[in-house]
Amino acid sequence: QVHFVESGGGLVQPGGSLTLSCAVSGVTHSNNVMAWYRQAPGQSRERVASISKTGGKNFADAVKGRFTVSRDDAKNMMYLQMNNLKTENTAVYFCNNLRGNWHWGQGTQVTVSS
């Protein structure tokens, strides 16, 4: 069974940066397009970034130019570098495949507040 462990969240002031990590086990994720998602309080989960096995990247309009995504297939890891964070980026962040149809992990809380 696929297992995700997200980490790296925390409390940061507006304008600050965080790097999230996603450890993947139970699948060779190098064969898959992987993605980061987030769910803010009272809202549906949404995809914020994805990265293919060849390094092709896509971002939600709201985070373009501020977030970047990377992967290390040798370590079965994926990362989300978030810069110039805004209060509206407060959410629980998750990783999964592009379809979001694997078992979800617990996510990591990101809180952007002064």
Side-chain angles (χ1 to χ4, degrees):
Q1 183 176 350
V2 181
H3 186 59
F4 297 106
V5 177
E6 299 92 350
S7 62
L11 174 63
V12 63
Q13 292 185 342
S17 298
L18 280 175
T19 298
L20 306 183
S21 299
C22 169
V24 186
S25 61
V27 66
T28 302
H29 90 312
S30 61
N31 293 330
N32 295 275
V33 179
M34 300 299 293
W36 283 97
Y37 299 78
R38 66 185 177 191
Q39 186 166 19
Q43 297 185 22
S44 301
R45 188 175 288 154
E46 62 176 351
R47 188 168 66 236
V48 296
S50 64
I51 182 168
S52 71
K53 60 182 180 180
T54 57
K57 304 172 184 179
N58 282 286
F59 299 92
D61 288 344
V63 306
K64 281 181 180 177
R66 299 187 297 117
F67 289 16
T68 190
V69 58
S70 60
R71 60 193 290 167
D72 184 338
D73 291 343
K75 297 181 179 179
N76 252 15
M77 295 289 295
M78 183 174 62
Y79 307 95
L80 184 69
Q81 172 70 42
M82 306 184 295
N83 299 317
N84 191 20
L85 282 161
K86 303 178 180 181
T87 55
E88 55 262 40
N89 299 142
T90 294
V92 180
Y93 285 72
F94 303 85
C95 52
N96 209 305
N97 64 11
L98 187 64
R99 295 181 179 180
N101 60 353
W102 287 339
H103 181 74
W104 293 91
Q106 294 297 308
T108 186
Q109 175 71 48
V110 172
T111 302
V112 185
S113 175
S114 56

